[in-house]
Amino acid sequence: MPVATPAHLARIETELHRQSRLRTIYSALGIGVLIVFMVFGFNSADEANAGSFSDGITRLFDFPAEIIRLSFEAGWSWFGLLWHYFPFLLETIHMAMLATFIGFVGAVVISLLASSNLITNKLFVSTMRRLMDFMRAFPELVLAMVLLFLMGKSAVPALIAVAFHTIGALGKLFSEANENADMRPVEGLKATGAGWLQQIRFGIIPQVLPNYLSYGLLRLEINVRASTILGFVGAGGIGEQLTANIQWTYGADVTAIFVLLISTIIALDYISRWVRGRLIGTGSMVGA
Amino acid sequence: MTPHNGRSEQLSQQYAAVIHPSWRSRLAPLTIVAIGFLYLVYLFFYFDFANIGDRWRTDRAQIFALDSYAYKVHVETKWRDISKLKVALEGSRWETYKTLPSWIDQQADGSSIIDMGDFGVINLTKDRIEMNWAEPAKPIIIERNTDGTLKVLEGRPLPSWMRISKSKIDIRPDLFARVQITGNKVLIHRFFYGWEYFWFDFDSPLAGYSFGQTIDFIFDEQRQDPARSNLDFVGHEIWTNSLWLHKDVYVALMQTIFMAVMGTVMAAVLGLPLAFMAAYNVTPFASVRFGLRRLFDALRGIDMLIWSLIFIRAFGMGPFSGLLAIGVTDTGTLGKLMSEAIENTDKKQIEGVQSTGADKMQQHRFGILPQILPLFISQTLYYLESNTRGAVIIGAMGAGGIGLQFLGALRTGTDWENVAYISIVVLITVMLMDMLSSRLRRALIK
């Protein structure tokens, strides 16, 4: 109908204009609400805080400046401090390593049980998923502090807490990897009469292992940070040393610990990125 | 030689490296596993796992477990005058009952019969206590001599749960019932299931009201407090509960959520523009890019915890320091991630927008932003969830909020029911945030 077309197009155009105007209004409203929320939020948080923002902003760099000044005063003995705190750093790294290992093994088991393509019982799978959600939701600190009370001050309660959280966090990622795995190898193995464990071992694990390891390495980095934090509540390691020194403003010690911590985190970041690159590289070659 | 054999020979030649791997490739995984195993053995001794049992405090675990789902009522009296019974919740001075509960029956002569529920009945008379426990059937009778020493008159052979020391007799037939007798006083604990006074505290006029009674009270014409309606009064009483501190807990919870949300919003608002400025296909100045890259590294390399310590030093304890710590750390992470994403965007879309005569700003808005928006939204929502957990942790380190409440409850060493309560609140909050962020993610990114 050639006559009706212009009117039709005009209607579409007005509708288009109307909608784009609406969108602009909505976006402006959204940004406005965000700004009001932020301003109001900052103000109310500022009031709830012990010191105010305007007072604090001038003092923001006082503490860093102070500890750096104290470190320079310490002179060459500062390097001795690095050596002194190194064993504590090692303790924290050991904690993170073992917690990641336990968490990794636990996560592999629980993720295989929580993958809907490997387990047919839907109820069981969803129960396992809820269990993982629960383990993931538990902040390490809450569990660690209760365990520290029950087991006395040592690294072990913190280790258990970190491992517990790791099982949940890695388990979720692993089960997603499992569910994305190609099922044809499993079917092939099933045809040869392989049992469930054999199907997993030869059909799934070779496909997902690079992913597992790369997630595990990422988690190791997170767990080093978590283990440091737990040192603050009495789990030992470098975190415990840091709290004590910060409280007394032993500047040189604080900077020595910071340097150790930050260089460990950066080193781990680089190592894990390098290994992950290699793992996923070989993984994709196997897939291709 | 059959053709079949020829084929297998061909295969074995073709895949010689797979069928007969070299020693090196066979040994490499074994070596890694062996080193890992040795490391684990070393850690086993390093953390002294062999003696872990010695450090485990069963008594503390029992108290913690029992206290988190049950409460106890202390009945205390001095031998000097057994008609004076002090009945108090958890033995607290502030929660002493003014009238005796129904399970204590005091006689005219001052003696009393204390019903211990399923576990038995205790008869307390002058210088004599008779306990009829469900098991064993025989009563246990203890008398106090004039010189203050105690004597077990009847009940031998003594059950294993009865401990006698020089100055004290401790009887615990069940986890839920305990009697301690010394030369000058008797202390009876009776445990009950549940969280007592969860809604209305001990001093509230509504203490001990059941749900039905509360409903009746709300619809009662007679006002408890002339200044406010009964519904308002009920709300006020629950909110100001002095035992469970609902007000403090939920205000602190709000602070924690607020810290997480505001910190994430701050990171998103700061991180996205900075990410654009650090991407080579947007910013032509290499020095700006280099500076921003190193800034991102510094912000994210210095841990959230260390940031929170620095901000607490500057701004004092409180949620503001917490939200800054979260915001600053995630600005670094988000900035780095998004700038990489911007550099990886498809050029064709930008060129398409450019061909319509759009200026630089419009090219970024319509050429790049739509490509990175899904990643940006999903990452930000992911941070929202992990920051909720982070806010609890840095809260306990001094930023305030529910983390600090939790630490406070734990440090008292007695309020285990509060510890359990706050843990549950935290757990539910984190799980809800998790659900909310994954729902939003699914709704926004189809």
Side-chain angles (χ1 to χ4, degrees):
Chain A
M1 279 190 276
V3 187
T5 317
H8 184 62
L9 274 182
R11 267 215 308 281
I12 290 179
E13 201 175 348
T14 48
E15 179 63 19
L16 208 64
H17 276 298
R18 200 180 66 81
Q19 281 201 357
S20 72
R21 258 204 316 277
L22 258 180
R23 273 189 67 168
T24 319
I25 292 171
Y26 281 143
S27 312
L29 261 178
I31 293 171
V33 167
L34 194 66
I35 289 172
V36 168
F37 183 65
M38 285 203 72
V39 170
F40 177 77
F42 267 111
N43 278 335
S44 62
D46 201 12
E47 276 163 31
N49 228 55
S52 84
F53 181 67
S54 46
D55 293 342
I57 194 77
T58 53
R59 283 186 283 120
L60 178 57
F61 295 104
D62 285 4
F63 178 60
E66 174 76 0
I67 57 170
I68 288 169
R69 189 182 62 78
L70 286 168
S71 322
F72 273 105
E73 271 175 19
W76 291 108
S77 67
W78 186 83
F79 292 95
L81 289 174
L82 282 184
W83 182 247
H84 173 72
Y85 287 113
F86 191 68
F88 296 105
L89 178 70
L90 268 186
E91 188 180 355
T92 297
I93 294 177
H94 286 327
M95 270 163 74
M97 288 285 244
L98 193 53
T100 311
F101 177 75
I102 297 170
F104 188 92
V105 173
V108 169
V109 174
I110 202 169
S111 75
L112 291 172
L113 299 178
S115 304
S116 54
N117 55 342
L118 306 176
I119 302 276
T120 41
N121 188 339
K122 288 276 170 293
L123 186 70
F124 183 75
V125 168
S126 83
T127 316
M128 280 295 150
R129 283 207 188 135
R130 292 295 85 73
L131 179 66
M132 288 195 304
D133 285 347
F134 173 79
M135 294 174 102
R136 209 152 41 91
F138 236 114
E140 294 109 328
L141 189 87
V142 171
L143 188 60
M145 283 178 45
V146 172
L147 286 177
L148 273 167
F149 179 78
L150 299 180
M151 303 176 73
K153 290 208 167 178
S154 80
V156 179
L159 203 155
I160 296 171
V162 175
F164 187 80
H165 180 80
T166 304
I167 293 176
L170 281 182
K172 186 186 180 219
L173 294 170
F174 286 4
S175 74
E176 276 164 13
N178 294 341
E179 287 181 350
N180 287 332
D182 187 355
M183 286 304 279
R184 279 173 300 185
V186 176
E187 280 157 21
L189 285 160
K190 212 184 278 178
T192 67
W196 188 79
L197 271 178
Q198 286 169 322
Q199 288 170 31
I200 299 293
R201 164 68 187 84
F202 297 104
I204 297 289
I205 296 292
Q207 291 188 57
V208 293
L209 196 62
N211 280 338
Y212 278 11
L213 290 174
S214 97
Y215 286 139
L217 280 169
L218 218 56
R219 197 70 219 175
L220 178 65
E221 205 186 311
I222 299 170
N223 283 350
V224 170
R225 294 166 187 246
S227 308
T228 312
I229 291 177
L230 294 182
F232 277 54
V233 291
I238 196 123
E240 194 166 4
Q241 300 298 316
L242 184 60
T243 20
N245 285 304
I246 274 195
Q247 265 161 13
W248 297 103
T249 323
Y250 291 145
D253 301 65
V254 172
T255 48
I257 294 171
F258 274 7
V259 165
L260 281 175
L261 255 181
I262 293 171
S263 46
T264 309
I265 288 171
I266 291 175
L268 266 176
D269 191 21
Y270 274 93
I271 295 170
S272 81
R273 202 178 306 162
W274 180 74
V275 177
R276 264 182 291 143
R278 287 201 54 166
L279 279 173
I280 294 182
T282 51
S284 64
M285 258 154 65
V286 168
Chain B
M1 209 186 255
T2 57
H4 181 262
N5 274 345
R7 172 84 181 132
S8 84
E9 213 156 83
Q10 188 197 340
L11 276 176
S12 72
Q13 257 170 18
Q14 195 176 350
Y15 296 104
V18 177
I19 298 167
H20 303 291
S22 69
W23 275 111
R24 236 188 91 189
S25 57
R26 266 192 222 182
L27 273 180
L30 274 178
T31 322
I32 293 173
V33 168
I35 292 172
F37 182 74
L38 283 177
Y39 181 62
L40 284 180
V41 171
Y42 168 71
L43 287 186
F44 182 85
F45 291 107
Y46 184 86
F47 289 117
D48 199 16
F49 276 104
N51 297 321
I52 195 115
D54 301 345
R55 281 174 281 162
W56 172 256
R57 302 282 302 266
T58 313
D59 52 333
R60 284 188 175 182
Q62 220 167 42
I63 292 171
F64 176 69
L66 186 63
D67 213 22
S68 54
Y69 66 83
Y71 67 98
K72 63 177 187 287
V73 176
H74 290 213
V75 181
E76 198 181 336
T77 188
K78 296 234 161 65
W79 282 118
R80 212 170 343 108
D81 183 5
I82 56 156
S83 65
K84 267 197 202 138
L85 288 175
K86 205 178 97 185
V87 185
L89 180 70
E90 303 275 353
S92 161
R93 201 145 37 94
W94 295 280
E95 278 101 27
T96 307
Y97 291 92
K98 290 186 184 66
T99 53
L100 292 177
S102 59
W103 45 276
I104 299 178
D105 184 16
Q106 194 162 38
Q107 311 295 320
D109 61 349
S111 67
S112 41
I113 301 164
I114 299 160
D115 183 10
M116 298 295 280
D118 296 341
F119 310 109
V121 178
I122 298 172
N123 258 321
L124 186 65
T125 47
K126 189 168 167 41
D127 289 336
R128 178 188 159 95
I129 183 165
E130 183 183 332
M131 289 167 279
N132 293 289
W133 300 114
E135 192 71 34
K138 280 188 299 181
I140 296 171
I141 299 171
I142 295 168
E143 270 198 356
R144 177 179 176 267
N145 300 326
T146 41
D147 60 348
T149 54
L150 299 169
K151 191 171 66 180
V152 182
L153 271 191
E154 265 179 54
R156 289 178 199 280
L158 296 174
S160 59
W161 34 260
M162 187 164 163
R163 255 183 285 165
I164 301 178
S165 66
K166 210 171 5 171
S167 57
K168 185 172 158 188
I169 299 179
D170 191 341
I171 301 142
R172 189 153 204 182
D174 191 90
L175 217 52
F176 276 63
R178 185 178 190 183
V179 181
Q180 294 169 81
I181 306 162
T182 61
N184 58 20
K185 69 177 182 185
V186 179
L187 179 60
I188 299 167
H189 292 170
R190 184 175 170 190
F191 287 76
F192 296 90
Y193 280 112
W195 287 356
E196 186 65 339
Y197 302 112
F198 184 74
W199 302 112
F200 306 112
D201 67 21
F202 193 83
D203 297 323
S204 166
L206 306 179
Y209 269 40
S210 68
F211 182 72
Q213 278 173 307
T214 312
I215 296 291
D216 286 345
F217 173 77
I218 289 170
F219 291 105
D220 196 350
E221 293 287 309
Q222 187 76 38
R223 280 191 173 189
Q224 177 81 25
D225 179 356
R228 55 175 96 219
S229 73
N230 278 349
L231 181 62
D232 192 16
F233 186 76
V234 167
H236 177 78
E237 285 300 307
I238 295 174
W239 190 236
T240 57
N241 188 320
S242 66
L243 286 172
W244 290 91
L245 305 168
H246 295 302
K247 186 181 164 190
D248 296 6
V249 168
Y250 289 103
V251 166
L253 183 68
M254 280 301 132
Q255 278 183 351
T256 298
I257 294 175
F258 180 79
M259 264 194 269
V261 172
M262 289 303 294
T264 315
V265 168
M266 182 182 151
V269 168
L270 290 179
L272 194 60
L274 287 178
F276 270 95
M277 286 160 71
Y280 76 84
N281 50 353
V282 175
T283 307
F285 313 108
S287 54
V288 172
R289 291 195 319 252
F290 182 81
L292 280 174
R293 282 286 157 85
R294 294 293 84 76
L295 177 71
F296 292 154
D297 281 347
L299 294 184
R300 139 194 111 79
I302 301 176
D303 206 69
M304 185 185 289
L305 175 78
I306 297 173
W307 277 119
S308 78
L309 290 175
I310 292 174
F311 286 128
I312 286 168
R313 275 285 173 135
F315 303 120
M317 308 244 268
F320 188 69
S321 309
L323 82 85
L324 279 182
I326 292 175
V328 163
T329 320
D330 280 355
T331 301
T333 330
L334 206 61
K336 179 183 171 348
L337 197 79
M338 292 321 294
S339 69
E340 278 166 8
I342 291 167
E343 289 179 353
N344 288 333
T345 47
D346 192 353
K347 260 187 127 153
K348 282 179 223 145
Q349 198 167 334
I350 306 166
E351 283 162 4
V353 177
Q354 197 177 6
S355 71
T356 65
D359 61 27
K360 273 280 172 212
M361 209 56 205
Q362 286 168 328
Q363 283 174 35
H364 300 154
R365 164 66 185 83
F366 296 102
I368 296 178
L369 196 64
Q371 292 191 52
I372 58 158
L373 208 55
L375 178 71
F376 176 69
I377 292 172
S378 79
Q379 279 301 318
T380 311
L381 286 173
Y382 169 71
Y383 287 142
L384 181 65
E385 186 250 314
S386 82
N387 283 342
T388 312
R389 237 190 337 268
V392 175
I393 293 174
I394 59 173
M397 303 288 95
I402 195 90
L404 205 60
Q405 285 283 323
F406 176 79
L407 198 67
L410 198 75
R411 291 242 161 106
T412 61
T414 50
D415 299 338
W416 293 111
E417 64 282 2
N418 288 32
V419 173
Y421 174 48
I422 295 174
S423 308
I424 291 170
V425 168
V426 166
L427 213 61
I428 291 173
T429 309
V430 176
M431 286 174 100
L432 280 180
M433 285 301 252
D434 189 8
M435 251 163 62
L436 183 79
S437 88
S438 63
R439 282 269 165 83
L440 270 175
R441 210 166 15 223
R442 238 172 291 151
L444 290 172
I445 306 157
K446 278 176 209 111

